[in-house]
Amino acid sequence: MPLILNEEQEMLRDSARGFLDEKAPVAALRKLRDANDPDGFSRDLWKEMAEMGWAGIIVDEGYGGSGFGFVGAGVLAEEMGRTLTASPYLSSSILAATALKKLGNDAQRQENLPKIAAGELLYALAVDEGAKHGPAKTAMAAEKHGNGFKLSGDKTFVADGHVADKIIVAARTAGSPGERKGLTLFLVDSKSNGIEVERTQMVDSRNAARIKFDGVEATGDDILGEVDGGFGALEGVLNAGRAGLAAEMSGASQAAFKMTVDYLKERKQFGTEIGTFQALQHRAAHLYSEIEIAKSAVLKALQELDDNYGIAGAVCSLAKAKVGEVAKLASQEAVQMHGGIGMTDEYDIGFYMKRIRVAQEMFGDPAFHADRIAQLRGY
Ligand SMILES: Cc1cc2nc3c(=O)[nH]c(=O)nc-3n(C[C@H](O)[C@H](O)[C@H](O)COP(=O)(O)OP(=O)(O)OC[C@H]3O[C@@H](n4cnc5c(N)ncnc54)[C@H](O)[C@@H]3O)c2cc1C
């Protein structure tokens, strides 16, 4: 398949760009941060996004969604990355929607997908328990209790965990931390007895939480997919999240690059624009080429999720690793080429560096994904 968007996807991109430039510029994130907003995003804006079909972008039309698939979802994530839009899009519309679409039974889909598409309920995915991403490291226990289970353990870096109405959580029904076998996914209500949520302040001013589970009861109806066989299912959901994050970082890199080039054309030194100096032109040209390669890797990952969901892991890892490196380069070059002002809070460029740093780490940094590709290839 060619690595270009079709006409419909281009229209989606253009309308999203216009909307976000107007309604969610970086100034909106700055305002949420400065006000220490308890939600960390605008519920009114999220409602508008849902009305445009964004919340249900991968949800099929039969469940109230707009059925654009993963490429459409990535197009929106990329645009949100450009303006650093804070919203529960990744958690609800990519991660939870993928989990329910791919793993949910009829009743679970019927119950949840229309609510995701309408933006009516917010969802979060709770996987990690330590500083570094690693689904197999899951230690949280799901012990048999009557006909159901009791969940106990701590989750960390749960994006949108403090505003989520429902939480998809990975727990261990068998095996020990480090093993792939024995994981099961549960969909629980965030208001269930035994759940304690603490919001954490991340460097990117976006939403995350630590969540403690203390004997939280789950029934058989709350299980998403297979008991003990959840690792592969979780990997599929995470692949979608990784591609979404890669798309977002790609958008952020493109925006940081544009701001930098604009600055090089405007800042004068020795009576001329600094962008006329070859040393800076070479750095800008190198970054431009890297960003173009990263864009292709992201689109390929999104296409693969749409066409070959079950085997999209390697190319999603490739996209997350490549864009993770390129986005780091883009944000560092941006701050350096802006000179002293790049260090200041007054300028937006630092917001890009901070969001990129968090997105780079979430669901696996470039080293994690390089290792995953090596393992998938049998090294
Ligand atoms: C936190 C912090 C700590 C600092 N600590 C110190 C310190 O301890 N000691 C100290 O002396 N200074 C310090 N500085 C100042 C720092 O050295 C200057 O901010 C830095 O030299 C950047 O200069 P500028 O802001 O004028 O950037 P600009 O001159 O606007 O530079 C922007 C970009 O243009 C490039 N550029 C500029 N002029 C040319 C040119 N003629 N040809 C080609 N490219 C060019 C730069 O390399 C950069 O990429 C500090 C600054 C900060 C923010």
Side-chain angles (χ1 to χ4, degrees):
M1 189 177 281
L3 286 173
I4 46 169
L5 299 179
N6 65 28
E7 211 173 303
E8 212 184 359
Q9 290 155 352
E10 277 184 1
M11 277 166 62
L12 178 69
R13 180 196 61 196
D14 295 345
S15 69
R17 193 170 295 179
F19 177 85
L20 294 168
D21 280 347
E22 189 197 328
K23 306 258 177 148
V26 185
L29 176 65
R30 184 187 285 279
K31 210 168 143 200
L32 291 165
R33 182 201 66 174
D34 292 348
N36 200 13
D37 187 276
D39 287 335
F41 71 100
S42 159
R43 288 189 187 260
D44 288 344
L45 185 67
W46 180 239
K47 204 166 155 247
E48 280 189 64
M49 291 182 183
E51 279 162 8
M52 290 189 297
W54 294 10
I57 194 83
I58 60 165
V59 174
D60 296 335
E61 290 174 32
Y63 293 105
S66 40
F68 259 94
F70 289 106
V71 173
V75 164
L76 292 182
E78 189 174 324
E79 294 310 314
M80 291 185 202
R82 277 181 203 279
T83 57
L84 303 181
T85 307
S87 83
Y89 179 71
L90 178 76
S91 320
S92 278
S93 309
I94 297 189
L95 294 164
T98 303
L100 283 148
K101 186 174 162 153
K102 299 288 181 184
L103 313 170
N105 57 32
D106 281 350
Q108 288 167 328
R109 287 185 196 178
Q110 206 70 55
E111 164 72 18
N112 295 285
L113 287 173
K115 289 186 176 132
I116 291 179
E120 199 181 312
L121 288 187
L122 300 178
Y123 292 65
L125 176 71
V127 179
D128 289 314
E129 299 175 9
K132 281 286 188 185
H133 176 63
K137 288 190 271 186
T138 297
M140 188 165 134
E143 283 175 1
K144 271 226 151 73
H145 176 73
N147 286 335
F149 295 87
K150 273 197 166 185
L151 313 178
S152 295
D154 298 343
K155 294 288 178 182
T156 188
F157 298 115
V158 182
D160 299 310
H162 78 300
V163 287
D165 301 293
K166 293 198 180 194
I167 305 167
I168 297 170
V169 59
R172 210 161 258 296
T173 35
S176 334
E179 287 176 10
R180 294 180 173 196
K181 203 167 160 25
L183 288 191
T184 304
L185 295 178
F186 295 88
L187 176 63
V188 295
D189 198 296
S190 66
K191 302 285 179 300
S192 305
N193 282 338
I195 291 187
E196 202 184 303
V197 179
E198 179 201 348
R199 183 182 183 182
T200 44
Q201 299 290 343
M202 305 276 275
V203 73
D204 63 349
S205 310
R206 297 275 287 270
N207 294 324
R210 283 192 201 100
I211 307 184
K212 281 183 188 298
F213 291 75
D214 184 8
V216 176
E217 289 189 22
T219 70
D221 290 343
D222 300 327
I223 293 171
L224 265 182
E226 267 178 63
V227 174
D228 288 353
F231 184 83
L234 177 61
E235 283 285 273
V237 175
L238 286 168
N239 286 339
R242 288 157 178 159
L245 274 167
E248 193 193 322
M249 280 193 284
S250 168
S253 307
Q254 292 168 51
F257 178 71
K258 184 177 181 310
M259 288 168 79
T260 306
V261 171
D262 287 349
Y263 184 72
L264 295 182
K265 288 178 182 166
E266 160 202 316
R267 170 81 166 103
K268 288 206 171 119
Q269 184 71 275
F270 301 114
T272 181
E273 294 81 19
I274 57 173
T276 60
F277 296 119
Q278 226 176 28
L280 296 184
Q281 288 174 359
H282 285 166
R283 283 166 67 172
H286 173 229
L287 182 54
Y288 173 84
S289 312
E290 288 292 306
I291 289 173
E292 286 302 305
I293 295 167
K295 275 161 69 177
S296 303
V298 173
L299 188 50
K300 181 72 190 160
L302 296 164
Q303 288 176 349
E304 199 75 347
L305 282 167
D306 277 329
D307 299 340
N308 300 299
Y309 180 82
I311 52 165
V315 68
C316 289
S317 272
L318 180 105
K320 183 73 169 54
K322 180 66 189 171
V323 186
E325 293 288 7
V326 171
K328 180 179 169 189
L329 180 69
S331 60
Q332 289 183 344
E333 287 291 74
V335 170
Q336 286 198 4
M337 289 200 245
H338 271 80
I341 61 165
M343 295 287 297
T344 63
D345 189 69
E346 202 183 328
Y347 277 77
D348 286 343
I349 201 72
F351 280 73
Y352 285 87
M353 177 172 259
K354 289 170 185 162
R355 174 58 190 155
I356 283 169
R357 186 68 192 93
V358 172
Q360 221 192 350
E361 204 59 48
M362 190 182 277
F363 303 149
D365 64 10
F368 174 95
H369 287 292
D371 182 62
R372 186 167 180 247
I373 292 170
Q375 286 187 32
L376 288 169
R377 292 277 154 86
Y379 288 104

